[in-house]
């Protein structure tokens, strides 16, 4: 019989301290660059744990963070979770009423806030019912003037605290360690609690060669925000392995990111398609950087098309596609070709790489049709993706009624409509509510968008359903043209381009040219806003 040993985040912190104390963490904060090591980080994490105690935080308390990807946020990731408290990462882009809801609903006790984000919290601070203190993350000697009260200075608190701390050993691996709310495309955001155990397992498994393929020798730049789904758990994976981290801070322009990748010789990065789309356009416009160190980038959060994967490849950016959601820690699927697929034709390979891919080891999945039966593995029959496993939520935090909608018979029903092919590659066809039902048949808005975005004049396209008296619903395309192509392309041009590339009955009834596709707080196409405008 093996030891009954709890799976705790403390183990990864200890490993990085003991084995990789010299390895570097680069962090850009408010345009200032910081370099520290995992050894330095450990000392600061211990100081921070002492600070948390002296501020009155107790085991089980929720500690909010309102911050960019930087070293202080990283220190909070470890000090809070290893102290058996719950790190509640607050999404900077939530509407004020949603922000108020999530802070009060979680009952955050202390909020740590980046200096430049203070105004966003000040707007709502009057309505926060549980927050007792604010700690300001700043490089400045003195605190900026603020209405947040009481407001404390992070660096001063750390400077006055001892640099050793005994993190508790008697933590239950199933106790909550992290917390994130969904971005709520309907209703108020719903909270998901990650446990010590779920973070431990997810961060190890996703480092495997057929997923992020992360190693000590890598230089990892998570562009995906630490304020949403824990930056896909990548900071934890890096600590396990002693991987150098590059934290890009708040300036996420293509130029800033490319320069940083060049300067720090980044080998792996991760982000949503909008980030990589803007980098692609920047490179296509003739801007040059040495990105030769880059091994691959993970794209997820919404679909990366085959065309985008191909075009990024031309600039040496090798994409792998991953899928997940807030409820799943997040990674569930990753699209890596099997060895024998490397012999297949190029188009077939790109088509596979654009799928969301294979289920991660350790998870279970089923894909069920309307009758509740599992669909055939034929790449054609569509059904809803359901998952279960050690890093999949079992319910929303303190929402018994709303939990019943998504969590049934031990499964998470994702609301994502998918197909699965003979090889087990899953393709997300659409979110259930974005599918277009035309005359009893389904049209995938994602597929249609991906074909429209191949048009060389198109910067972005989102497809939504509009009501139709005869067919029930018909597709309408909202298209953003590249700046140099404005007014040069017509609706007829787009439709002519689509002809032959999609079934005739898929052709949009209307093509609307707009200046920008509205985005959600995490940079996804906000189809709800488009439906409200045009639907
Ligand atoms: P929200 O908070 O809006 O639920 P999440 O970040 O949890 O935001 O988003 C999860 C959803 O994003 C999934 O259910 C799926 O619809 C979509 N998604 C995530 N990754 C991909 C991907 N690689 N391709 C297509 N859709 C994706």
């Amino acid at each position: 019989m093996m030891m009954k040993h709890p799976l705790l985040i403390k183990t990864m912190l200890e490993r990085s301290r003991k084995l990789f104390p010299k390895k570097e963490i680069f962090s850009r904060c408010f345009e200032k660059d910081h370099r520290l090591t995992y050894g330095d980080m450990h000392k600061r994490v211990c100081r921070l744990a002492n600070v948390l105690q002296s501020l009155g935080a107790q085991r089980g308390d929720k500690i909010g963070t309102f911050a960019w990807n930087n070293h202080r946020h990283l220190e909070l990731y470890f000090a809070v979770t290893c102290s058996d408290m719950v790190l509640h990462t607050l999404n900077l882009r939530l509407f004020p009423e949603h922000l108020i809801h999530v802070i009060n609903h979680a009952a955050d006790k202390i909020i740590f806030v980046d200096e430049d984000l203070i105004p966003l919290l000040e707007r709502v601070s009057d309505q926060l019912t549980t927050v007792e203190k604010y700690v300001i993350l700043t490089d400045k000697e003195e605190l900026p003037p603020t209405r947040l009260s009481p407001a404390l200075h992070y660096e001063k608190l750390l400077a006055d605290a001892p640099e050793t701390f005994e993190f508790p050993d008697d933590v239950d691996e199933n106790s909550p360690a992290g917390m994130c709310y969904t971005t709520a495309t309907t209703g108020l955001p719903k909270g998901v609690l990650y446990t010590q155990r779920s973070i431990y397992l997810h961060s190890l498994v996703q480092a495997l060669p057929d997923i992020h393929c992360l190693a000590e020798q890598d230089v990892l730049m998570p562009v995906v925000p630490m304020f949403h789904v824990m930056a896909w758990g990548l900071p934890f994976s890096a600590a396990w392995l002693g991987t150098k981290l590059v934290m890009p801070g708040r300036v996420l322009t293509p130029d800033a990111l490319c320069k940083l990748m060049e300067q720090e010789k980044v080998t792996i990065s991760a982000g949503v398609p909008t980030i990589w789309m803007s980098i692609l356009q920047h490179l296509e416009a003739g801007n040059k950087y040495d990105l030769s160190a880059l091994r691959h980038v993970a794209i997820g959060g919404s679909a990366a098309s085959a065309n985008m994967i191909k075009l990024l490849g031309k600039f040496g950016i090798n994409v792998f596609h991953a899928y997940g959601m807030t409820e799943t820690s997040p990674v569930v699927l990753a699209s890596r070709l099997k060895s024998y697929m490397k012999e297949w034709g190029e188009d077939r390979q790109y088509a596979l790489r654009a799928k969301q891919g294979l289920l991660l080891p350790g998870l279970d999945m089923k894909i069920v049709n309307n009758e509740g039966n599992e669909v055939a593995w034929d790449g054609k029959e569509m059904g809803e993706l359901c998952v279960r496993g050690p890093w999949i939520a079992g319910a929303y935090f303190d929402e018994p009624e709303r939990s019943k909608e998504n969590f049934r018979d031990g499964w998470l029903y994702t609301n994502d409509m998918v197909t699965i092919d003979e090889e087990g590659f899953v393709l997300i066809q659409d979110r259930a509510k974005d599918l277009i039902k035309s005359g009893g048949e389904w049209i995938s808005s994602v597929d249609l968008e991906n074909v429209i975005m191949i048009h060389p004049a198109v910067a972005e396209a989102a497809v939504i359903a509009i009501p139709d008296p005869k067919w029930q619903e018909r597709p309408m395309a909202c298209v953003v043209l590249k700046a140099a192509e404005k007014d040069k392309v017509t609706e007829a041009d787009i439709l002519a381009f689509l002809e032959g590339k999609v079934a005739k009955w898929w052709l949009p009834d209307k093509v609307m040219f707009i200046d920008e596709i509205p985005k959600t707080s995490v940079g996804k196409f906000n189809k709800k806003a488009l439906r409200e405008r045009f639907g």
Side-chain angles (χ1 to χ4, degrees):
M1 290 286 275
M2 297 294 127
M3 289 180 190
K4 209 170 163 192
H5 192 74
L7 310 186
L8 302 181
I9 295 168
K10 181 184 166 171
T11 318
M12 54 187 102
L13 178 67
E14 280 298 303
R15 187 165 200 272
S16 69
R17 172 181 77 86
K18 287 187 186 143
L19 302 185
F20 308 108
K22 295 184 207 148
K23 290 295 303 286
E24 196 179 41
I25 295 163
F26 170 91
S27 160
R28 182 162 287 167
C29 278
F30 321 120
E31 288 64 79
K32 183 168 170 221
D33 292 351
H34 297 252
R35 286 181 197 275
L36 61 162
T37 62
Y38 275 100
D40 300 331
M41 178 184 91
H42 184 266
K43 289 189 188 126
R44 285 171 59 86
V45 165
C46 288
R47 288 176 187 271
L48 178 53
N50 282 307
V51 167
L52 284 166
Q53 252 184 10
S54 65
L55 295 180
Q58 289 173 7
R59 291 173 71 166
D61 279 347
K62 310 264 172 39
I63 308 295
T65 58
F66 203 60
W68 302 103
N69 290 15
N70 57 41
H71 64 291
R72 297 192 182 99
H73 207 172
L74 187 68
E75 290 153 11
L76 283 153
Y77 263 50
F78 287 101
V80 173
T81 56
C82 295
S83 299
D84 196 19
M85 296 169 194
V86 185
L87 180 88
H88 177 195
T89 56
L90 298 162
N91 186 336
L92 316 181
R93 305 206 177 88
L94 285 183
F95 295 125
E97 60 272 31
H98 285 180
L99 188 58
I100 296 166
H101 170 75
V102 303
I103 296 171
N104 290 341
H105 185 254
D108 292 342
K109 194 161 180 183
I110 305 174
I111 297 184
F112 288 76
V113 49
D114 264 343
E115 173 196 334
D116 61 325
L117 300 170
I118 291 174
L120 295 182
L121 263 194
E122 283 177 337
R123 280 198 301 188
V124 302
S125 59
D126 287 352
Q127 293 169 72
L128 304 180
T129 52
T130 60
V131 180
E132 295 171 6
K133 294 181 181 81
Y134 298 89
V135 180
I136 314 295
L137 310 170
T138 176
D139 284 330
K140 298 208 177 89
E141 290 274 313
E142 296 307 323
L143 282 185
T146 172
R147 284 199 295 116
L148 299 178
S149 171
L152 306 161
H153 192 294
Y154 182 84
E155 292 298 336
K156 286 191 181 162
L157 291 173
L158 253 58
D160 293 340
E163 70 175 29
T164 55
F165 187 84
E166 260 325 299
F167 287 102
D169 267 330
D170 60 340
V171 178
D172 180 345
E173 63 175 17
N174 289 308
S175 61
M179 179 170 211
C180 179
Y181 281 73
T182 64
T183 51
T185 32
T186 51
L188 286 168
K190 293 172 278 190
V192 176
L193 279 174
Y194 308 115
T195 59
Q196 295 274 343
R197 175 187 160 86
S198 72
I199 291 173
Y200 183 111
L201 290 170
H202 173 263
S203 58
L204 271 185
V205 172
Q206 73 158 351
L208 287 173
D210 284 332
I211 306 151
H212 282 285
C213 191
L214 201 63
E216 181 277 331
Q217 64 192 346
D218 280 304
V219 179
L220 172 68
M221 180 174 81
V223 182
V224 16
M226 292 174 83
F227 61 74
H228 192 55
V229 207
M230 313 223 121
W232 298 352
L234 289 168
F236 296 114
S237 305
W240 268 130
L241 304 173
T243 307
K244 173 174 169 178
L245 273 169
V246 175
M247 298 305 210
R250 65 175 170 179
V251 182
L252 303 178
T253 60
D255 180 53
L257 291 175
C258 288
K259 275 196 184 128
L260 204 50
M261 288 195 276
E262 180 178 78
Q263 175 191 309
E264 298 302 314
K265 299 193 171 45
V266 168
T267 63
I268 300 183
S269 185
V272 293
T274 39
I275 290 281
W276 299 103
M277 204 62 183
S278 66
I279 289 180
L280 175 61
Q281 285 169 13
H282 186 68
L283 297 175
E284 281 177 331
N287 298 291
K288 297 214 171 359
Y289 305 87
D290 176 7
L291 302 180
S292 53
L294 200 58
R295 285 206 292 128
H296 57 252
V297 302
I299 302 193
S302 44
S305 68
N307 190 51
M308 177 180 176
I309 294 174
K310 198 172 190 169
L311 293 175
L312 280 165
K314 287 195 181 147
F315 292 98
I317 301 181
N318 177 22
V319 172
F320 94 87
H321 198 187
Y323 158 92
M325 57 201 303
T326 309
E327 292 84 336
T328 62
S329 296
V331 190
V332 170
L333 302 168
S335 203
R336 293 284 200 175
L337 297 186
K338 299 179 190 173
S339 48
Y340 52 83
M341 293 172 174
K342 308 251 160 81
E343 315 293 317
W344 294 3
E346 211 185 58
D347 286 350
R348 209 169 157 200
Q349 288 193 26
Y350 278 117
L352 273 171
R353 289 175 57 193
K355 293 189 178 187
Q356 284 71 12
L358 300 176
L359 186 70
L360 259 58
L363 297 179
D364 269 350
M365 140 186 112
K366 66 175 182 178
I367 300 167
V368 290
N369 60 22
N370 278 343
E371 287 78 50
N373 300 320
E374 292 201 32
V375 302
W377 286 35
D378 61 1
K380 295 193 184 86
E381 195 188 348
M382 217 183 324
E384 182 175 0
L385 176 66
C386 307
V387 284
R388 63 181 180 196
W391 57 90
I392 309 296
Y396 293 115
F397 169 63
D398 207 9
E399 291 270 16
E401 280 313 306
R402 290 172 88 197
S403 291
K404 284 184 201 154
E405 291 164 23
N406 294 85
F407 301 96
R408 301 195 298 274
D409 6 302
W411 292 90
L412 162 68
Y413 284 71
T414 63
N415 283 316
D416 284 319
M417 303 304 291
V418 310
T419 52
I420 182 166
D421 66 19
E422 298 79 357
E423 295 284 350
F425 278 66
V426 175
L427 174 64
I428 310 285
Q429 298 283 348
D430 228 330
R431 282 194 145 180
K433 59 181 176 299
D434 293 337
L435 268 178
I436 300 154
K437 184 156 207 186
S438 173
E441 297 285 343
W442 296 107
I443 300 176
S444 156
S445 66
V446 178
D447 269 6
L448 209 44
E449 285 157 11
N450 285 340
V451 183
I452 300 173
M453 285 193 277
I454 297 176
H455 191 294
V458 173
E460 285 180 331
V463 171
I464 55 165
I466 46 172
D468 184 272
K470 182 166 172 204
W471 302 106
Q472 187 179 350
E473 285 181 352
R474 290 292 303 152
M476 170 179 145
C478 303
V479 173
V480 180
L481 294 176
K482 291 182 182 161
E485 309 288 341
K486 287 248 156 76
D487 306 321
K488 292 191 196 150
V489 177
T490 64
E491 175 168 24
D493 293 333
I494 299 287
L495 293 177
F497 178 79
L498 290 179
E499 221 150 294
K501 296 189 179 71
V502 299
K504 238 195 164 84
W505 60 276
W506 277 42
L507 288 179
D509 277 21
K510 177 125 203 71
V511 177
M512 185 72 102
F513 293 101
I514 58 177
D515 289 336
E516 197 189 344
I517 309 276
K519 309 271 175 4
T520 69
S521 57
V522 285
K524 304 184 190 189
F525 290 167
N526 187 344
K527 296 195 183 171
K528 186 178 157 213
L530 285 175
R531 278 193 290 264
E532 277 162 13
R533 187 162 154 205
F534 299 113

